[in-house]
PDB file of all heavy atoms in Angstrom:
ATOM      1  N   LEU S  30      91.059 180.519 278.841  1.00 96.00           N
ATOM      2  CA  LEU S  30      90.052 181.560 279.321  1.00 96.00           C
ATOM      3  C   LEU S  30      89.997 181.296 280.820  1.00 96.00           C
ATOM      4  O   LEU S  30      89.700 180.151 281.157  1.00 96.00           O
ATOM      5  CB  LEU S  30      88.727 181.342 278.561  1.00 96.00           C
ATOM      6  CG  LEU S  30      87.611 182.271 278.871  1.00 96.00           C
ATOM      7  CD1 LEU S  30      87.949 183.768 278.452  1.00 96.00           C
ATOM      8  CD2 LEU S  30      86.279 181.864 278.214  1.00 96.00           C
ATOM      9  N   TYR S  31      90.210 182.309 281.605  1.00 95.00           N
ATOM     10  CA  TYR S  31      90.262 182.196 282.995  1.00 95.00           C
ATOM     11  C   TYR S  31      89.061 182.892 283.788  1.00 95.00           C
ATOM     12  O   TYR S  31      88.860 184.017 283.395  1.00 95.00           O
ATOM     13  CB  TYR S  31      91.579 182.682 283.521  1.00 95.00           C
ATOM     14  CG  TYR S  31      91.915 182.277 284.986  1.00 95.00           C
ATOM     15  CD1 TYR S  31      92.359 181.037 285.294  1.00 95.00           C
ATOM     16  CD2 TYR S  31      91.595 183.190 286.018  1.00 95.00           C
ATOM     17  CE1 TYR S  31      92.665 180.689 286.508  1.00 95.00           C
ATOM     18  CE2 TYR S  31      91.849 182.827 287.255  1.00 95.00           C
ATOM     19  CZ  TYR S  31      92.328 181.693 287.550  1.00 95.00           C
ATOM     20  OH  TYR S  31      92.528 181.295 288.987  1.00 95.00           O
ATOM     21  N   LYS S  32      88.494 182.195 284.590  1.00 92.00           N
ATOM     22  CA  LYS S  32      87.340 182.705 285.344  1.00 92.00           C
ATOM     23  C   LYS S  32      87.802 183.297 286.720  1.00 92.00           C
ATOM     24  O   LYS S  32      88.415 182.644 287.480  1.00 92.00           O
ATOM     25  CB  LYS S  32      86.309 181.684 285.629  1.00 92.00           C
ATOM     26  CG  LYS S  32      85.237 182.000 286.579  1.00 92.00           C
ATOM     27  CD  LYS S  32      84.352 180.710 286.922  1.00 92.00           C
ATOM     28  CE  LYS S  32      83.295 180.997 287.786  1.00 92.00           C
ATOM     29  NZ  LYS S  32      82.498 179.830 288.049  1.00 92.00           N
ATOM     30  N   TYR S  33      87.610 184.627 286.844  1.00 89.00           N
ATOM     31  CA  TYR S  33      87.853 185.284 288.124  1.00 89.00           C
ATOM     32  C   TYR S  33      86.724 185.111 289.116  1.00 89.00           C
ATOM     33  O   TYR S  33      86.999 185.183 290.204  1.00 89.00           O
ATOM     34  CB  TYR S  33      88.265 186.693 287.840  1.00 89.00           C
ATOM     35  CG  TYR S  33      89.555 186.824 287.237  1.00 89.00           C
ATOM     36  CD1 TYR S  33      89.676 187.058 285.874  1.00 89.00           C
ATOM     37  CD2 TYR S  33      90.734 186.717 287.972  1.00 89.00           C
ATOM     38  CE1 TYR S  33      90.885 187.148 285.226  1.00 89.00           C
ATOM     39  CE2 TYR S  33      92.026 186.802 287.324  1.00 89.00           C
ATOM     40  CZ  TYR S  33      92.039 186.992 285.985  1.00 89.00           C
ATOM     41  OH  TYR S  33      93.285 187.026 285.386  1.00 89.00           O
ATOM     42  N   GLY S  34      85.494 184.992 288.689  1.00 77.00           N
ATOM     43  CA  GLY S  34      84.389 184.810 289.570  1.00 77.00           C
ATOM     44  C   GLY S  34      83.175 185.394 288.941  1.00 77.00           C
ATOM     45  O   GLY S  34      83.222 186.151 288.046  1.00 77.00           O
ATOM     46  N   ASN S  35      82.003 184.943 289.511  1.00 74.00           N
ATOM     47  CA  ASN S  35      80.730 185.559 289.126  1.00 74.00           C
ATOM     48  C   ASN S  35      80.125 186.352 290.142  1.00 74.00           C
ATOM     49  O   ASN S  35      80.308 186.198 291.317  1.00 74.00           O
ATOM     50  CB  ASN S  35      79.751 184.304 288.761  1.00 74.00           C
ATOM     51  CG  ASN S  35      80.055 183.643 287.492  1.00 74.00           C
ATOM     52  OD1 ASN S  35      80.931 184.136 286.639  1.00 74.00           O
ATOM     53  ND2 ASN S  35      79.574 182.493 287.237  1.00 74.00           N
ATOM     54  N   THR S  36      79.248 187.401 289.772  1.00 69.00           N
ATOM     55  CA  THR S  36      78.615 188.147 290.660  1.00 69.00           C
ATOM     56  C   THR S  36      77.369 187.479 291.236  1.00 69.00           C
ATOM     57  O   THR S  36      77.002 186.317 290.749  1.00 69.00           O
ATOM     58  CB  THR S  36      78.010 189.417 290.056  1.00 69.00           C
ATOM     59  OG1 THR S  36      77.190 189.121 288.912  1.00 69.00           O
ATOM     60  CG2 THR S  36      79.285 190.316 289.508  1.00 69.00           C
ATOM     61  N   SER S  37      76.709 187.848 292.196  1.00 71.00           N
ATOM     62  CA  SER S  37      75.663 187.122 292.727  1.00 71.00           C
ATOM     63  C   SER S  37      74.466 186.982 291.715  1.00 71.00           C
ATOM     64  O   SER S  37      73.743 185.936 291.940  1.00 71.00           O
ATOM     65  CB  SER S  37      75.053 187.915 293.923  1.00 71.00           C
ATOM     66  OG  SER S  37      74.598 189.246 293.548  1.00 71.00           O
ATOM     67  N   ASP S  38      74.462 187.741 290.714  1.00 72.00           N
ATOM     68  CA  ASP S  38      73.341 187.684 289.669  1.00 72.00           C
ATOM     69  C   ASP S  38      73.813 186.824 288.498  1.00 72.00           C
ATOM     70  O   ASP S  38      73.251 186.708 287.505  1.00 72.00           O
ATOM     71  CB  ASP S  38      72.755 188.914 289.114  1.00 72.00           C
ATOM     72  CG  ASP S  38      73.791 189.750 288.616  1.00 72.00           C
ATOM     73  OD1 ASP S  38      74.934 189.490 288.541  1.00 72.00           O
ATOM     74  OD2 ASP S  38      73.373 190.908 288.069  1.00 72.00           O
ATOM     75  N   GLY S  39      75.040 186.139 288.618  1.00 68.00           N
ATOM     76  CA  GLY S  39      75.617 185.268 287.611  1.00 68.00           C
ATOM     77  C   GLY S  39      76.424 185.861 286.521  1.00 68.00           C
ATOM     78  O   GLY S  39      76.997 185.108 285.649  1.00 68.00           O
ATOM     79  N   ARG S  40      76.641 187.236 286.541  1.00 73.00           N
ATOM     80  CA  ARG S  40      77.486 187.801 285.525  1.00 73.00           C
ATOM     81  C   ARG S  40      78.926 187.605 286.021  1.00 73.00           C
ATOM     82  O   ARG S  40      79.158 187.424 287.143  1.00 73.00           O
ATOM     83  CB  ARG S  40      77.141 189.277 285.254  1.00 73.00           C
ATOM     84  CG  ARG S  40      75.668 189.501 284.712  1.00 73.00           C
ATOM     85  CD  ARG S  40      75.407 190.913 284.550  1.00 73.00           C
ATOM     86  NE  ARG S  40      75.313 191.508 285.926  1.00 73.00           N
ATOM     87  CZ  ARG S  40      75.386 192.815 286.128  1.00 73.00           C
ATOM     88  NH1 ARG S  40      75.593 193.702 285.163  1.00 73.00           N
ATOM     89  NH2 ARG S  40      75.278 193.259 287.297  1.00 73.00           N
ATOM     90  N   GLY S  41      79.847 187.611 284.961  1.00 85.00           N
ATOM     91  CA  GLY S  41      81.191 187.154 285.384  1.00 85.00           C
ATOM     92  C   GLY S  41      82.312 188.115 284.981  1.00 85.00           C
ATOM     93  O   GLY S  41      82.146 189.214 284.244  1.00 85.00           O
ATOM     94  N   HIS S  42      83.568 187.778 285.344  1.00 90.00           N
ATOM     95  CA  HIS S  42      84.691 188.508 285.010  1.00 90.00           C
ATOM     96  C   HIS S  42      85.698 187.353 284.522  1.00 90.00           C
ATOM     97  O   HIS S  42      86.073 186.517 285.279  1.00 90.00           O
ATOM     98  CB  HIS S  42      85.311 189.236 286.259  1.00 90.00           C
ATOM     99  CG  HIS S  42      86.537 189.891 285.949  1.00 90.00           C
ATOM    100  ND1 HIS S  42      87.327 190.418 287.016  1.00 90.00           N
ATOM    101  CD2 HIS S  42      87.308 190.154 284.819  1.00 90.00           C
ATOM    102  CE1 HIS S  42      88.484 190.982 286.379  1.00 90.00           C
ATOM    103  NE2 HIS S  42      88.346 190.804 285.118  1.00 90.00           N
ATOM    104  N   SER S  43      86.178 187.557 283.230  1.00 93.00           N
ATOM    105  CA  SER S  43      86.877 186.497 282.637  1.00 93.00           C
ATOM    106  C   SER S  43      88.146 187.174 281.945  1.00 93.00           C
ATOM    107  O   SER S  43      88.007 188.416 281.612  1.00 93.00           O
ATOM    108  CB  SER S  43      86.235 185.553 281.715  1.00 93.00           C
ATOM    109  OG  SER S  43      85.114 184.908 282.308  1.00 93.00           O
ATOM    110  N   ALA S  44      89.173 186.506 281.651  1.00 94.00           N
ATOM    111  CA  ALA S  44      90.293 186.970 280.917  1.00 94.00           C
ATOM    112  C   ALA S  44      90.877 185.892 280.005  1.00 94.00           C
ATOM    113  O   ALA S  44      90.772 184.633 280.386  1.00 94.00           O
ATOM    114  CB  ALA S  44      91.293 187.584 281.760  1.00 94.00           C
ATOM    115  N   LEU S  45      91.380 186.227 278.813  1.00 96.00           N
ATOM    116  CA  LEU S  45      92.022 185.263 277.991  1.00 96.00           C
ATOM    117  C   LEU S  45      93.481 185.515 278.111  1.00 96.00           C
ATOM    118  O   LEU S  45      93.978 186.636 277.971  1.00 96.00           O
ATOM    119  CB  LEU S  45      91.531 185.572 276.455  1.00 96.00           C
ATOM    120  CG  LEU S  45      92.062 184.604 275.464  1.00 96.00           C
ATOM    121  CD1 LEU S  45      91.631 183.141 275.711  1.00 96.00           C
ATOM    122  CD2 LEU S  45      91.696 185.018 274.073  1.00 96.00           C
ATOM    123  N   TRP S  46      94.209 184.396 278.473  1.00 96.00           N
ATOM    124  CA  TRP S  46      95.614 184.469 278.685  1.00 96.00           C
ATOM    125  C   TRP S  46      96.315 183.530 277.525  1.00 96.00           C
ATOM    126  O   TRP S  46      95.715 182.640 277.082  1.00 96.00           O
ATOM    127  CB  TRP S  46      95.994 183.832 280.004  1.00 96.00           C
ATOM    128  CG  TRP S  46      95.637 184.641 281.032  1.00 96.00           C
ATOM    129  CD1 TRP S  46      94.380 184.703 281.729  1.00 96.00           C
ATOM    130  CD2 TRP S  46      96.425 185.482 282.024  1.00 96.00           C
ATOM    131  NE1 TRP S  46      94.343 185.519 282.816  1.00 96.00           N
ATOM    132  CE2 TRP S  46      95.674 186.052 282.989  1.00 96.00           C
ATOM    133  CE3 TRP S  46      97.750 185.900 281.940  1.00 96.00           C
ATOM    134  CZ2 TRP S  46      96.145 186.859 283.924  1.00 96.00           C
ATOM    135  CZ3 TRP S  46      98.344 186.756 282.913  1.00 96.00           C
ATOM    136  CH2 TRP S  46      97.509 187.228 283.896  1.00 96.00           C
ATOM    137  N   THR S  47      97.557 184.083 277.094  1.00 96.00           N
ATOM    138  CA  THR S  47      98.222 183.193 276.148  1.00 96.00           C
ATOM    139  C   THR S  47      99.547 182.735 276.649  1.00 96.00           C
ATOM    140  O   THR S  47     100.261 183.519 277.435  1.00 96.00           O
ATOM    141  CB  THR S  47      98.511 183.915 274.741  1.00 96.00           C
ATOM    142  OG1 THR S  47      99.175 185.109 275.046  1.00 96.00           O
ATOM    143  CG2 THR S  47      97.180 184.133 274.075  1.00 96.00           C
ATOM    144  N   PHE S  48      99.805 181.493 276.474  1.00 96.00           N
ATOM    145  CA  PHE S  48     101.103 180.950 276.933  1.00 96.00           C
ATOM    146  C   PHE S  48     101.864 180.593 275.574  1.00 96.00           C
ATOM    147  O   PHE S  48     101.584 179.658 274.870  1.00 96.00           O
ATOM    148  CB  PHE S  48     100.967 179.647 277.683  1.00 96.00           C
ATOM    149  CG  PHE S  48     100.120 179.592 279.000  1.00 96.00           C
ATOM    150  CD1 PHE S  48      98.860 179.747 278.957  1.00 96.00           C
ATOM    151  CD2 PHE S  48     100.792 179.393 280.109  1.00 96.00           C
ATOM    152  CE1 PHE S  48      98.111 179.783 280.066  1.00 96.00           C
ATOM    153  CE2 PHE S  48     100.094 179.423 281.304  1.00 96.00           C
ATOM    154  CZ  PHE S  48      98.704 179.584 281.376  1.00 96.00           C
ATOM    155  N   THR S  49     102.822 181.435 275.210  1.00 96.00           N
ATOM    156  CA  THR S  49     103.530 181.175 273.856  1.00 96.00           C
ATOM    157  C   THR S  49     104.625 180.181 273.931  1.00 96.00           C
ATOM    158  O   THR S  49     105.355 180.186 274.901  1.00 96.00           O
ATOM    159  CB  THR S  49     103.927 182.514 273.265  1.00 96.00           C
ATOM    160  OG1 THR S  49     104.784 183.187 274.171  1.00 96.00           O
ATOM    161  CG2 THR S  49     102.729 183.337 272.903  1.00 96.00           C
ATOM    162  N   SER S  50     104.741 179.501 272.986  1.00 96.00           N
ATOM    163  CA  SER S  50     105.856 178.413 272.918  1.00 96.00           C
ATOM    164  C   SER S  50     107.159 179.161 272.586  1.00 96.00           C
ATOM    165  O   SER S  50     107.215 180.004 271.749  1.00 96.00           O
ATOM    166  CB  SER S  50     105.563 177.410 271.906  1.00 96.00           C
ATOM    167  OG  SER S  50     106.723 176.591 271.696  1.00 96.00           O
ATOM    168  N   THR S  51     108.307 178.651 273.257  1.00 95.00           N
ATOM    169  CA  THR S  51     109.705 179.066 272.822  1.00 95.00           C
ATOM    170  C   THR S  51     110.301 178.083 271.974  1.00 95.00           C
ATOM    171  O   THR S  51     111.430 178.367 271.413  1.00 95.00           O
ATOM    172  CB  THR S  51     110.510 179.208 274.079  1.00 95.00           C
ATOM    173  OG1 THR S  51     110.709 177.947 274.693  1.00 95.00           O
ATOM    174  CG2 THR S  51     109.874 180.142 275.097  1.00 95.00           C
ATOM    175  N   GLY S  52     109.723 176.888 271.689  1.00 93.00           N
ATOM    176  CA  GLY S  52     110.278 175.798 270.953  1.00 93.00           C
ATOM    177  C   GLY S  52     110.817 174.739 271.831  1.00 93.00           C
ATOM    178  O   GLY S  52     110.888 173.587 271.491  1.00 93.00           O
ATOM    179  N   THR S  53     111.365 175.210 272.964  1.00 91.00           N
ATOM    180  CA  THR S  53     111.804 174.253 273.924  1.00 91.00           C
ATOM    181  C   THR S  53     111.061 174.302 275.397  1.00 91.00           C
ATOM    182  O   THR S  53     111.273 173.555 276.238  1.00 91.00           O
ATOM    183  CB  THR S  53     113.374 174.512 274.235  1.00 91.00           C
ATOM    184  OG1 THR S  53     113.468 175.824 274.790  1.00 91.00           O
ATOM    185  CG2 THR S  53     114.191 174.225 273.094  1.00 91.00           C
ATOM    186  N   GLY S  54     110.145 175.300 275.440  1.00 91.00           N
ATOM    187  CA  GLY S  54     109.266 175.474 276.616  1.00 91.00           C
ATOM    188  C   GLY S  54     108.192 176.349 276.357  1.00 91.00           C
ATOM    189  O   GLY S  54     107.834 176.626 275.210  1.00 91.00           O
ATOM    190  N   ILE S  55     107.566 176.912 277.397  1.00 94.00           N
ATOM    191  CA  ILE S  55     106.514 177.888 277.363  1.00 94.00           C
ATOM    192  C   ILE S  55     106.780 179.078 278.071  1.00 94.00           C
ATOM    193  O   ILE S  55     107.284 179.054 279.189  1.00 94.00           O
ATOM    194  CB  ILE S  55     105.248 177.066 277.910  1.00 94.00           C
ATOM    195  CG1 ILE S  55     104.919 175.883 277.103  1.00 94.00           C
ATOM    196  CG2 ILE S  55     104.130 178.068 277.975  1.00 94.00           C
ATOM    197  CD1 ILE S  55     104.295 176.065 275.737  1.00 94.00           C
ATOM    198  N   ASN S  56     106.449 180.219 277.557  1.00 95.00           N
ATOM    199  CA  ASN S  56     106.719 181.526 278.220  1.00 95.00           C
ATOM    200  C   ASN S  56     105.619 181.642 279.299  1.00 95.00           C
ATOM    201  O   ASN S  56     104.630 181.162 279.296  1.00 95.00           O
ATOM    202  CB  ASN S  56     106.555 182.650 277.186  1.00 95.00           C
ATOM    203  CG  ASN S  56     107.692 182.826 276.260  1.00 95.00           C
ATOM    204  OD1 ASN S  56     108.865 182.810 276.793  1.00 95.00           O
ATOM    205  ND2 ASN S  56     107.481 183.011 275.060  1.00 95.00           N
ATOM    206  N   THR S  57     105.950 182.525 280.247  1.00 93.00           N
ATOM    207  CA  THR S  57     104.998 182.862 281.307  1.00 93.00           C
ATOM    208  C   THR S  57     103.763 183.361 280.587  1.00 93.00           C
ATOM    209  O   THR S  57     103.913 184.219 279.721  1.00 93.00           O
ATOM    210  CB  THR S  57     105.639 183.896 282.228  1.00 93.00           C
ATOM    211  OG1 THR S  57     106.839 183.441 282.776  1.00 93.00           O
ATOM    212  CG2 THR S  57     104.735 184.406 283.355  1.00 93.00           C
ATOM    213  N   PRO S  58     102.645 183.087 281.123  1.00 95.00           N
ATOM    214  CA  PRO S  58     101.491 183.552 280.512  1.00 95.00           C
ATOM    215  C   PRO S  58     101.134 185.076 280.501  1.00 95.00           C
ATOM    216  O   PRO S  58     101.667 185.770 281.361  1.00 95.00           O
ATOM    217  CB  PRO S  58     100.231 182.849 281.311  1.00 95.00           C
ATOM    218  CG  PRO S  58     100.860 182.587 282.684  1.00 95.00           C
ATOM    219  CD  PRO S  58     102.269 182.306 282.327  1.00 95.00           C
ATOM    220  N   VAL S  59     100.591 185.613 279.408  1.00 96.00           N
ATOM    221  CA  VAL S  59     100.326 187.015 279.291  1.00 96.00           C
ATOM    222  C   VAL S  59      98.866 187.216 279.149  1.00 96.00           C
ATOM    223  O   VAL S  59      98.134 186.524 278.249  1.00 96.00           O
ATOM    224  CB  VAL S  59     101.148 187.608 278.057  1.00 96.00           C
ATOM    225  CG1 VAL S  59     100.650 188.964 277.758  1.00 96.00           C
ATOM    226  CG2 VAL S  59     102.551 187.461 278.239  1.00 96.00           C
ATOM    227  N   LYS S  60      98.280 188.270 279.832  1.00 96.00           N
ATOM    228  CA  LYS S  60      96.924 188.518 279.716  1.00 96.00           C
ATOM    229  C   LYS S  60      96.696 189.264 278.428  1.00 96.00           C
ATOM    230  O   LYS S  60      97.198 190.328 278.198  1.00 96.00           O
ATOM    231  CB  LYS S  60      96.324 189.224 280.844  1.00 96.00           C
ATOM    232  CG  LYS S  60      94.880 189.419 280.884  1.00 96.00           C
ATOM    233  CD  LYS S  60      94.318 190.401 281.952  1.00 96.00           C
ATOM    234  CE  LYS S  60      94.659 189.984 283.339  1.00 96.00           C
ATOM    235  NZ  LYS S  60      94.079 190.838 284.402  1.00 96.00           N
ATOM    236  N   ALA S  61      95.865 188.504 277.542  1.00 95.00           N
ATOM    237  CA  ALA S  61      95.703 189.139 276.104  1.00 95.00           C
ATOM    238  C   ALA S  61      94.489 189.850 276.004  1.00 95.00           C
ATOM    239  O   ALA S  61      94.222 190.685 275.211  1.00 95.00           O
ATOM    240  CB  ALA S  61      95.616 187.998 275.162  1.00 95.00           C
ATOM    241  N   TRP S  62      93.493 189.587 276.891  1.00 94.00           N
ATOM    242  CA  TRP S  62      92.125 190.348 276.949  1.00 94.00           C
ATOM    243  C   TRP S  62      91.596 190.125 278.315  1.00 94.00           C
ATOM    244  O   TRP S  62      91.710 189.076 278.952  1.00 94.00           O
ATOM    245  CB  TRP S  62      91.315 189.676 275.919  1.00 94.00           C
ATOM    246  CG  TRP S  62      89.817 190.186 275.878  1.00 94.00           C
ATOM    247  CD1 TRP S  62      89.300 191.347 275.387  1.00 94.00           C
ATOM    248  CD2 TRP S  62      88.691 189.544 276.395  1.00 94.00           C
ATOM    249  NE1 TRP S  62      88.043 191.514 275.628  1.00 94.00           N
ATOM    250  CE2 TRP S  62      87.599 190.320 276.322  1.00 94.00           C
ATOM    251  CE3 TRP S  62      88.463 188.386 277.106  1.00 94.00           C
ATOM    252  CZ2 TRP S  62      86.320 190.046 276.747  1.00 94.00           C
ATOM    253  CZ3 TRP S  62      87.236 187.942 277.574  1.00 94.00           C
ATOM    254  CH2 TRP S  62      86.161 188.867 277.385  1.00 94.00           C
ATOM    255  N   ASP S  63      90.812 191.088 278.735  1.00 92.00           N
ATOM    256  CA  ASP S  63      90.097 191.129 279.988  1.00 92.00           C
ATOM    257  C   ASP S  63      88.695 191.610 279.795  1.00 92.00           C
ATOM    258  O   ASP S  63      88.589 192.755 279.294  1.00 92.00           O
ATOM    259  CB  ASP S  63      90.886 191.912 281.093  1.00 92.00           C
ATOM    260  CG  ASP S  63      90.410 191.724 282.400  1.00 92.00           C
ATOM    261  OD1 ASP S  63      89.188 191.874 282.796  1.00 92.00           O
ATOM    262  OD2 ASP S  63      91.251 191.432 283.278  1.00 92.00           O
ATOM    263  N   SER S  64      87.735 190.963 280.257  1.00 91.00           N
ATOM    264  CA  SER S  64      86.292 191.332 280.141  1.00 91.00           C
ATOM    265  C   SER S  64      85.893 192.415 281.087  1.00 91.00           C
ATOM    266  O   SER S  64      84.957 193.100 280.814  1.00 91.00           O
ATOM    267  CB  SER S  64      85.425 190.115 280.387  1.00 91.00           C
ATOM    268  OG  SER S  64      85.398 189.867 281.767  1.00 91.00           O
ATOM    269  N   GLY S  65      86.630 192.637 282.121  1.00 84.00           N
ATOM    270  CA  GLY S  65      86.236 193.607 283.104  1.00 84.00           C
ATOM    271  C   GLY S  65      85.076 192.938 283.916  1.00 84.00           C
ATOM    272  O   GLY S  65      84.609 191.992 283.605  1.00 84.00           O
ATOM    273  N   ASP S  66      84.735 193.589 285.000  1.00 76.00           N
ATOM    274  CA  ASP S  66      83.642 193.022 285.809  1.00 76.00           C
ATOM    275  C   ASP S  66      82.210 193.102 285.123  1.00 76.00           C
ATOM    276  O   ASP S  66      81.923 193.974 284.427  1.00 76.00           O
ATOM    277  CB  ASP S  66      83.492 193.919 287.112  1.00 76.00           C
ATOM    278  CG  ASP S  66      84.738 193.684 287.979  1.00 76.00           C
ATOM    279  OD1 ASP S  66      85.398 192.643 287.903  1.00 76.00           O
ATOM    280  OD2 ASP S  66      84.974 194.550 288.810  1.00 76.00           O
TER     281      ASP S  66
END
């Protein structure tokens, strides 16, 4: 869960990223969900 920042009144913008395993490494992260501002 990644924090992009909060507004001046404390509300935020976050996104959930997944880093999937290849068995020998980890794939580049993919944004799975974005809360919006």
Side-chain angles (χ1 to χ4, degrees):
L30 187 63
Y31 191 82
K32 172 185 178 178
Y33 288 98
N35 288 345
T36 60
S37 59
D38 62 356
R40 294 178 295 157
H42 178 192
S43 303
L45 183 63
W46 292 79
T47 56
F48 299 73
T49 56
S50 172
T51 65
T53 58
I55 300 288
N56 286 313
T57 302
V59 173
K60 190 185 298 184
W62 172 79
D63 193 305
S64 73
D66 290 336

